[in-house]
Each structure stands twice: as C-alpha cells, then as structure tokens.
Amino acid sequence: MPSPLPYFLGCPAWSIAEWRGRFLPERTPQSAFLREYSKVFNSVEGNSFFYALPKREIVQRWSEQSAEGFQFCMKVPRDISHTPKLLSGNVKYDELIDRLQILLEGNRLGPTFLQLHASFGPRRLNELEKFIENWPRVMPLAVEVRHEEFFENEAAQDELNSLLAEQKIDRSIFDSRALFQAAPSDPFEEKSQERKPKLPVKWHTTGSRPFVRFVGRNDIEKANPWLKEVTQVVAKWIREGKQPYIFMHMPDDTLAPQLCRRFHKHLMQEFQDLPDLVFPSISSQLALFD
C-alpha cells in the first residue's frame, strides 16, 4: 500500500517495460506492473483513455489490482474532447462514464481531466459550460486549456476561471518550462519539444484538487530550478488544505519515476514528517538522483 501522503503523485503510465531493474524488480511480469507501481505511487495519469476506452472487465481488473487508496486520473477520449463541438450524452461519452463508474465504485477514481484542443478558445466556453453541467457531480473533473487567449487575454482567463470555480472544477496546469529551457540534447527531447505545447504557467487554482502536469528534462538536474518552484507552490496548497495531484512527465518516460522521487524529496524538506518513496528496485543509476 502506498504511504499515506497529503497529495497524489504519479507518472503518465504504469506499464513501461524499461522500468524492470530500474524502478521495478528485474523479473516483474507485465501483469504485475500495476500492483508493483501502486505500492510506490498513489496515482497515475490514464492517458490510454484518450486513444481508446478499454473493455469493462479490464477496468475492473485495474481497480482490483491497484493498492487501497490508489486513484486513477483518466483522460477524456479525444472523440469527445477534440471534436468540432464538445459533446456529452453520445455513445462515447456514455461509455466513458460507464468505465469511470467502475473505478468510482472501487474507490479508485481521482479527477478525470478534460484536455481541450489548442483551437478551443474563449468563444467556445458555452460548450464547456454545458459539458460541465452534464458531468456527474460525484466524479471530480479537471480542465486543461491550450488556446493562447486563456493565458494572454485577462478577460478570457477570468471568464474561464470563474466558470470553473463556480462549478468547483479544477484547472489543469501544464508546466513545460524546463523542457524548453534549452535546445534538445537527445532525440527524446527533440520529439517532446515538437509535440508539447509551450505556454505560460498560471498557478491560479479554481477547486480543492490542484492538478499539475510537469515535463522535465532527461538530465534531471536541468529541470531542478522549475521543480523547486513547483515544490513551493504544492507545499503552499497543502498548507491551505488543498489536495494536489502531481504528475511527472519526461521526454523519455522511462525516467519519470526518478523525477517523481526528486520532486518528493524536495517536498520532504517542506514537511519533515513526510515519508520517503521506496522503490522496489534501487539501481546505482537511481541512487544518483537521491
């Protein structure tokens, strides 16, 4: 069972084969990845939902295999979020709610996050408002926008934040500053810079579950200044009684557990009674990041 923490921490996935011998025991079978992962981290970012919804029995198995207290934060499918009109109540939406209900009944459901396409601007906020109105209140929701006006236009930003705050919906914060602080140093970083958005970071919260997605560098030291800033913000939220959800991405997500561990060690300096994260397999490479 994950150590009780005042926040939720995880990676973008739980089943990266290269974790064997680096984060997970060398002989860990693929079928045991989630069980082992959830012994260390208490949450995961469910990006797989974005591309295709799994069968009900698979989601049920995930719920049963994960540790008590673990929470899945699933991404709304692109067939809903990246369409000409943001819809709810269609077949795909109903299937999504059905899968989330399985996790809810198993006490494994964290905030689902709706990542809107970069073309989704302030003129479409009425669509978002209707989507939120139809969303089940028992299922926490976070919304991530990528249209530049929500960051550069104060009126558009205020309108979005007011809508989310009124409905007690969290605004997902995507922090890619470390990734773009220098030219790429390897093919992973080059590809990541091509794919990830480069947007300002606004630490404004609209709900009780601040939702942060941080992208680092494969050389963790290069991400450290921004990681320390996130640590200060998260510590402040925890002291305010909020329950943050923090997800660590890397250009090469094989290294995501190390970035999580580095962040958590920074947070341990803010909270002296915070337990350490213990990896099932500690290699000499991991020790470099202690």
Side-chain angles (χ1 to χ4, degrees):
M1 183 184 299
S3 300
L5 300 176
Y7 79 112
F8 287 88
L9 175 67
C11 302
W14 68 76
S15 58
I16 297 177
E18 291 78 10
W19 281 350
R20 291 189 182 99
R22 308 180 70 175
F23 163 49
L24 301 178
E26 185 69 46
R27 299 182 181 277
T28 304
Q30 193 74 27
S31 60
F33 268 45
L34 176 56
R35 183 184 69 240
E36 295 298 324
Y37 171 94
S38 67
K39 291 178 181 178
V40 180
F41 299 115
N42 55 9
S43 192
V44 70
E45 194 179 292
N47 285 310
S48 61
F49 265 40
F50 183 71
Y51 302 101
L53 289 172
K55 295 180 179 179
R56 301 185 84 255
E57 53 266 31
I58 293 177
V59 179
Q60 183 66 49
R61 187 160 63 244
W62 292 346
S63 179
E64 294 168 355
Q65 289 178 344
S66 54
E68 186 70 30
F70 188 82
Q71 294 197 355
F72 293 86
C73 295
M74 298 310 200
K75 194 173 184 178
V76 172
R78 58 185 173 183
D79 292 342
I80 297 172
S81 62
H82 285 46
T83 54
K85 187 174 183 180
L86 182 61
L87 297 174
S88 58
N90 56 17
V91 173
K92 184 63 68 174
Y93 178 88
D94 292 343
E95 290 179 354
L96 169 64
I97 299 302
D98 175 73
R99 304 305 189 270
L100 295 177
Q101 183 66 31
I102 295 171
L103 297 174
L104 179 66
E105 292 174 357
N107 295 316
R108 298 293 191 275
L109 183 63
T112 301
F113 71 105
L114 172 67
Q115 182 191 89
L116 297 171
H117 193 271
S119 64
F120 192 103
R123 294 182 180 180
R124 298 181 63 186
L125 277 179
N126 62 316
E127 295 176 36
L128 178 59
E129 184 174 9
K130 291 178 181 178
F131 184 91
I132 292 173
E133 288 175 355
N134 290 328
W135 187 259
R137 293 298 172 186
V138 293
M139 297 179 178
L141 183 68
V143 175
E144 181 175 299
V145 293
R146 295 188 168 188
H147 195 286
E148 291 181 355
E149 278 198 65
F150 288 122
F151 300 88
E152 299 174 353
N153 184 309
E154 187 173 343
Q157 182 175 212
D158 288 346
E159 187 177 4
L160 171 64
N161 290 340
S162 295
L163 168 62
L164 298 180
E166 182 180 345
Q167 300 295 332
K168 296 182 172 57
I169 303 295
D170 291 277
R171 179 171 174 176
S172 173
I173 300 169
F174 187 80
D175 187 351
S176 61
R177 294 173 300 168
L179 173 65
F180 289 102
Q181 54 92 14
S185 57
D186 59 45
F188 287 104
E189 291 185 350
E190 182 177 8
K191 185 176 181 180
S192 191
Q193 287 190 358
E194 291 173 355
R195 296 179 57 189
K196 301 294 186 184
K198 184 180 181 181
L199 294 166
V201 173
K202 306 288 186 178
W203 295 118
H204 188 87
T205 60
T206 57
S208 61
R209 303 178 184 88
F211 198 97
V212 177
R213 304 170 67 225
F214 180 92
V215 186
R217 302 281 296 208
N218 289 336
D219 180 349
I220 292 181
E221 293 298 329
K222 293 181 179 178
N224 226 22
W226 294 271
L227 204 63
K228 288 182 177 180
E229 179 184 334
V230 177
T231 302
Q232 295 297 316
V233 174
V234 171
K236 175 177 177 290
W237 287 338
I238 292 173
R239 293 187 180 105
E240 291 173 348
K242 296 181 173 67
Q243 194 171 51
Y245 285 74
I246 312 299
F247 297 102
M248 292 291 162
H249 294 241
M250 293 287 267
D252 177 5
D253 277 327
T254 300
L255 304 172
Q258 288 95 309
L259 186 62
C260 286
R261 197 159 188 254
R262 172 64 67 88
F263 170 78
H264 186 74
K265 283 188 174 293
H266 286 323
L267 202 59
M268 288 173 65
Q269 297 176 14
E270 299 291 327
F271 301 97
Q272 300 301 317
D273 58 346
L274 202 61
D276 198 359
L277 297 179
V278 179
F279 284 7
S281 176
I282 301 295
S283 69
S284 59
Q285 181 175 2
L286 284 178
L288 294 175
F289 301 115
D290 288 347

